[in-house]
Amino acid sequence: MIELKNVKKSYEKNVALNQVSFTINDGICFGLIGPNGAGKSTLMKVIAGITRKYEGKIFFNGKSIEKSRNEVKKSIGYVPQDLVLENTLTARDNLEFFGGVYGIQRNEIKEKVNKTLQDIGLEDRGDEAVKNYSGGMKRRLNIGCALMHNPQLVIMDEPTVGIDPQSRNYIYSIIKRLKSEGKTVIYSSHYMEEVQNLCEEMVLIDHGNILESGSVNKIIDKHSKPSIYIAGEDIKSEELQQFGKVKKLENGYQILSEDVLMTIKSISKYLLSNNKHVSQLEIYRMNLEDIFFMLTGKNLRDK
């Protein structure tokens, strides 16, 4: 559906996108992964046609976005990270406004609004002022505004930031429904577990450069190295260095090893002889966050 060729975007001396090239297939959720300031939002705005001045080429279903901008925009729904809602109006009013912006006929808007409210789980609160909504409800309505014209491509810029679990699950179900209808979703996040669970394909971006692109599973398989996870109350990083490269995780440590079984045996012997209390000691499969750290030397949420 989407093809980018050598896309470059700069803001004065700051290069936000540096010769970015990749493709996005139909009917999938495509993840954009990277820390704050990596270039994710800029990339999404370029694809959505919001940012127009850039170098390179972008094609939508084989058509140049630059040459067919008005036609292409009708097929794209863009969900910005910042809320685009009028808090003093109801959810229904907000949806009707965006329906008008997208050119939906007046005789169709009411039906479209009712369906969208149902899809985002707000049918019982549609006539209530948005100012009374929780943050998660506002996020869901923000998505609903971008779905009013039934777009083929939906671009979501970090839609689950700071929301409650119920709204997060609603957003996940919206994405799964869109995929089941053959729609394509571009999903930006710095929560690796979301991308790993929702997306079939992805790009990993940092400082405007693509570090990896392709199938999520293939990227994990390509970079995943044998490792061990260990957790315990009195275990310190320094004493684990003798067994391999150590990375601090949230509640324990990851140790890279080419022979995990022999390393586990050596660690066990050391722990027993030093009376160390261990809560977990197991073979560990690297995830996307581990791979990002391995490629960049920093955690995903580092500024």
Side-chain angles (χ1 to χ4, degrees):
M1 174 179 274
I2 300 287
E3 182 180 9
L4 286 82
K5 292 185 175 181
N6 301 318
V7 174
K8 184 176 181 179
K9 174 63 181 176
S10 299
Y11 297 99
E12 296 181 352
K13 295 182 179 180
N14 179 34
V15 179
L17 299 173
N18 185 24
Q19 303 296 327
V20 170
S21 299
F22 60 85
T23 59
I24 301 175
N25 294 313
D26 284 330
I28 67 167
C29 185
F30 187 92
L32 292 182
I33 304 304
N36 294 331
K40 302 190 303 296
S41 293
T42 298
L43 183 54
M44 295 176 118
K45 289 177 181 177
V46 166
I47 295 173
I50 296 169
T51 298
R52 299 191 179 188
K53 293 183 178 181
Y54 58 89
E55 299 175 32
K57 299 290 183 181
I58 303 177
F59 298 92
F60 182 90
N61 286 333
K63 296 179 181 179
S64 168
I65 285 183
E66 292 80 8
K67 296 179 180 179
S68 309
R69 190 175 301 277
N70 291 334
E71 180 183 352
V72 169
K73 286 182 74 172
K74 294 177 182 178
S75 299
I76 297 176
Y78 174 66
V79 184
Q81 187 174 350
D82 295 327
L83 298 174
V84 292
L85 308 172
E86 174 50 62
N87 281 321
T88 61
L89 299 179
T90 66
R92 189 177 298 276
D93 292 333
N94 275 275
L95 291 171
E96 286 180 357
F97 170 78
F98 278 94
V101 169
Y102 286 121
I104 300 174
Q105 299 298 314
R106 281 188 171 275
N107 61 340
E108 297 178 350
I109 281 187
K110 184 176 180 180
E111 181 181 348
K112 293 277 190 180
V113 168
N114 288 337
K115 182 180 185 306
T116 302
L117 285 172
Q118 184 176 9
D119 288 342
I120 61 177
L122 294 175
E123 62 268 36
D124 296 334
R125 306 283 297 270
D127 295 312
E128 188 174 339
V130 173
K131 64 183 179 182
N132 297 325
Y133 280 13
S134 68
M137 292 168 66
K138 290 180 180 179
R139 287 283 174 190
R140 284 146 61 187
L141 181 58
N142 211 40
I143 294 173
C145 291
L147 301 180
M148 279 292 292
H149 60 306
N150 192 31
Q152 288 299 307
L153 172 65
V154 182
I155 301 174
M156 297 185 181
D157 192 352
E158 301 204 13
T160 61
V161 172
I163 65 172
D164 57 275
Q166 182 184 19
S167 290
R168 189 182 299 270
N169 288 332
Y170 259 112
I171 291 173
Y172 294 166
S173 66
I174 289 170
I175 292 170
K176 291 173 183 177
R177 177 180 58 78
L178 289 170
K179 289 197 295 181
S180 71
E181 295 172 355
K183 309 294 177 61
T184 301
V185 178
I186 299 178
Y187 189 88
S188 167
S189 179
H190 58 254
Y191 296 116
M192 289 293 199
E193 63 276 9
E194 289 187 348
V195 173
Q196 213 163 315
N197 292 331
L198 292 172
C199 300
E200 290 83 7
E201 298 178 8
M202 60 166 277
V203 296
L204 201 159
I205 185 170
D206 190 31
H207 296 300
N209 296 292
I210 300 297
L211 304 182
E212 271 292 359
S213 66
S215 160
V216 172
N217 289 332
K218 287 183 178 178
I219 289 173
I220 292 174
D221 289 341
K222 175 183 175 181
H223 293 284
S224 187
K225 294 185 177 181
S227 62
I228 297 158
Y229 177 78
I230 182 170
E233 293 179 1
D234 57 347
I235 297 174
K236 295 180 174 57
S237 174
E238 296 78 15
E239 60 189 327
L240 298 176
Q241 301 286 348
Q242 58 185 302
F243 303 108
K245 186 178 180 180
V246 179
K247 178 190 174 185
K248 178 72 173 75
L249 302 180
E250 186 174 358
N251 297 310
Y253 298 95
Q254 175 193 1
I255 304 172
L256 294 180
S257 170
E258 294 300 327
D259 189 341
V260 291
L261 293 179
M262 286 301 297
T263 303
I264 285 178
K265 182 178 180 180
S266 298
I267 292 173
S268 300
K269 184 177 180 180
Y270 171 82
L271 295 171
L272 287 169
S273 62
N274 288 274
N275 297 316
K276 296 286 184 176
H277 174 73
V278 178
S279 56
Q280 283 182 268
L281 178 60
E282 61 191 27
I283 296 174
Y284 180 82
R285 175 172 165 79
M286 294 178 71
N287 57 31
L288 289 176
E289 189 138 9
D290 299 322
I291 291 168
F292 184 84
F293 180 83
M294 184 177 67
L295 292 175
T296 66
K298 61 185 177 182
N299 291 314
L300 185 62
R301 294 175 181 82
D302 287 349
K303 297 292 180 90

